[in-house]
Amino acid sequence: MKRHIKNNVWWVGRIDWELKTFHGDDYSINHGSSQNAYLIQEGKTVLIDTIWKPYEKEFRDNLEKEINLGSIDFIVMNHGEVDHSGSLPYVMEKIPNTPIYCTANAVKSLVGQYHHPEWNFKVVKTGDSVDIGNGKRLVFVEMRMLHWPDSMATYLTEDNILFSNDAFGQHYGVEELFNDKADQCLLAEEAMKYYANILTPFSALVKRKIEEIVALNLPIDIIAPSHGAIWRDNPLEIVQKYAAWADNYQENQITIVYDTMWDGTKQLAHALASRIQAISCDTVVKVFNISQTDKNDIMTQVFKSKAIAVGSPTVGKSILSSVGGWLHFLTELQFKQKKAAVFGCYGWSGEGNATLTEALGKAGFSVVEAQAKVNWNPTAEDLDHMQAVAEALCR
């Protein structure tokens, strides 16, 4: 069932309350999500994006209850990823000659995934536009690497709506659709989590793209992303947050992450936390066991932090696999201008700290010299040594 956005613009997406993971199992969903598709009914009827394949029949059936599919003059595909395009082949079965407006890279993506080179693709680039009647136009803005090479946004003139695709979205289900109807704490949390875990590697591009959009001097009354809440109340607030997040964002926070075999490394983690708090009571300190906490939620806290500490016991002349996997993800995100410290216990050979130091350096962190490398279980003296690590992180 379509739901009204503004004037002749409607939401025709799907809210998915049961969704628990995304990108396979690589991104956790805590409060539902949505795939947002939109229908514009002006002089021309335009479908912007679809939803993903598991719900293709539901999507097409609902759309056919609202309009004759043959009345769709063209489809805009802002991005070829399956959560946006999954229902497209099922729709195109009914209207195979309908033009599809997208970027050149999106043609490669859509043909590569669905094997329909015969579809009527209309390639667009930044600044191109199309008349949809009643004095309104759709203007296209390429959003390369936000977060795929094929991504773009579409702007509806007169109604001043930016269909921003993945930019400015969140994996957060909002039954009432709009940001002013959402739980504001959850909305802020999920928007940051989305940026931290998906868009952080592209922060330099985000910064330039925001500057480019601002330079276009387009009035924006609504930002309609592909996931989560639609921004109608002060929509530029999320743009301002993105500008801040893209600029090597950090708060006065230190996050400690670790895993442990027999609780020795756990003792070091908590000793470090208490000493940081004693040195700087204004600093927020968070402690997470990697094997017991969702990696995306941890990474959101790392995103907020000015420094982190990572701990693992030595095992097999290296570190625990849980920590190694987490460090691989950390490296993918390419954080900038953050410090790090390492700590851990060992029984025999003690290579763990060196492995952590190397991995954190590759991940872009400036690793402080002070560390805790403890043979067997920590003594009181070992725990006191965490003072030096705390001081190095707080400087």
Side-chain angles (χ1 to χ4, degrees):
M1 182 176 69
K2 67 181 185 180
R3 297 169 66 177
H4 189 237
I5 301 298
K6 181 180 180 180
N7 295 337
N8 293 320
V9 179
W10 308 83
W11 178 88
V12 290
R14 187 181 194 278
I15 297 175
D16 196 339
W17 293 109
E18 286 72 42
L19 190 66
K20 296 301 179 185
T21 61
F22 199 75
H23 288 159
D25 288 327
D26 209 41
Y27 187 102
S28 59
I29 307 292
N30 297 329
H31 305 286
S33 188
S34 63
Q35 296 111 48
N36 298 334
Y38 302 95
L39 186 68
I40 303 172
Q41 295 178 284
E42 294 289 353
K44 293 184 177 178
T45 298
V46 182
L47 176 65
I48 297 183
D49 294 327
T50 69
I51 66 174
W52 61 1
K53 184 176 176 60
Y55 307 109
E56 61 181 8
K57 186 177 187 305
E58 175 185 327
F59 177 75
R60 194 177 78 181
D61 288 351
N62 286 342
L63 204 55
E64 288 187 295
K65 291 175 184 176
E66 304 294 345
I67 61 169
N68 180 340
L69 290 184
S71 70
I72 297 176
D73 292 284
F74 61 89
I75 298 169
V76 174
M77 287 306 309
N78 279 328
H79 179 23
E81 196 171 5
V82 294
D83 49 314
H84 312 271
S85 66
S87 296
L88 180 63
Y90 197 63
V91 171
M92 293 297 285
E93 286 180 3
K94 287 286 188 78
I95 48 173
N97 298 316
T98 303
I100 300 172
Y101 284 72
C102 63
T103 66
N105 277 325
V107 175
K108 296 178 184 177
S109 170
L110 293 168
V111 172
Q113 292 179 93
Y114 305 118
H115 312 301
H116 285 286
E118 78 282 1
W119 283 349
N120 184 13
F121 293 108
K122 303 293 185 182
V123 174
V124 296
K125 59 185 184 301
T126 296
D128 288 347
S129 67
V130 59
D131 191 334
I132 62 170
N134 299 328
K136 299 180 181 182
R137 303 185 69 84
L138 292 177
V139 181
F140 305 107
V141 181
E142 292 173 274
M143 304 281 276
R144 291 177 182 172
M145 296 314 301
L146 300 181
H147 62 119
W148 274 22
D150 68 346
S151 299
M152 74 174 184
T154 301
Y155 177 77
L156 174 58
T157 65
E158 304 305 319
D159 289 328
N160 303 335
I161 301 175
L162 179 68
F163 300 96
S164 61
N165 196 248
D166 281 328
F168 313 125
Q170 338 84 47
H171 282 300
Y172 175 33
V174 181
E175 184 65 40
E176 301 83 6
L177 294 184
F178 297 101
N179 68 311
D180 52 296
K181 297 294 186 179
D183 180 305
Q184 296 305 298
C185 291
L186 284 180
L187 178 60
E189 175 185 320
E190 294 296 339
M192 178 178 280
K193 176 179 177 178
Y194 190 90
Y195 188 97
N197 286 272
I198 294 177
L199 292 173
T200 293
F202 313 114
S203 285
L205 297 173
V206 171
K207 193 173 182 179
R208 290 199 294 270
K209 186 54 60 175
I210 288 174
E211 291 169 353
E212 181 182 327
I213 291 173
V214 170
L216 292 173
N217 200 30
L218 300 172
I220 297 176
D221 294 337
I222 291 176
I223 296 177
S226 290
H227 302 292
I230 297 167
W231 304 90
R232 68 177 180 185
D233 179 39
N234 191 16
L236 293 182
E237 179 183 4
I238 187 61
V239 179
Q240 294 163 358
K241 286 184 176 180
Y242 264 53
W245 294 341
D247 193 21
N248 300 320
Y249 183 78
Q250 57 183 240
E251 298 176 14
N252 185 17
Q253 176 171 318
I254 297 176
T255 297
I256 301 166
V257 296
Y258 74 97
D259 203 352
T260 192
M261 292 178 69
W262 300 111
D263 285 354
T265 302
K266 176 182 178 180
Q267 291 180 56
L268 295 176
H270 289 279
L272 177 57
S274 65
R275 281 156 179 79
I276 291 171
Q277 186 60 203
I279 292 169
S280 178
C281 61
D282 291 332
T283 299
V284 174
V285 184
K286 300 288 182 72
V287 183
F288 299 102
N289 183 314
I290 289 172
S291 65
Q292 297 180 17
T293 312
D294 178 79
K295 69 174 184 178
N296 303 115
D297 294 333
I298 296 176
M299 214 58 80
T300 306
Q301 298 305 315
V302 171
F303 176 74
K304 294 168 65 175
S305 299
K306 63 182 181 181
I308 67 171
V310 183
S312 172
T314 296
V315 58
K317 296 184 179 181
S318 185
I319 56 178
L320 287 169
S321 60
S322 57
V323 181
W326 185 85
L327 285 168
H328 179 81
F329 183 37
L330 184 74
T331 302
E332 289 179 1
L333 294 179
Q334 302 174 33
F335 290 114
K336 301 289 192 299
Q337 297 183 14
K338 296 180 187 289
K339 292 197 293 187
V342 303
F343 61 95
C345 295
Y346 70 99
W348 302 107
S349 54
E351 294 90 348
N353 278 22
T355 302
L356 292 173
T357 299
E358 181 181 5
L360 286 164
K362 288 180 179 178
F365 287 76
S366 175
V367 183
V368 301
E369 186 175 346
Q371 60 177 279
K373 182 178 178 180
V374 175
N375 191 206
W376 304 111
N377 277 332
T379 64
E381 184 179 349
D382 293 324
L383 296 177
D384 286 341
H385 178 68
M386 300 309 292
Q387 180 75 18
V389 182
E391 289 174 354
L393 290 175
C394 289
R395 288 192 193 105

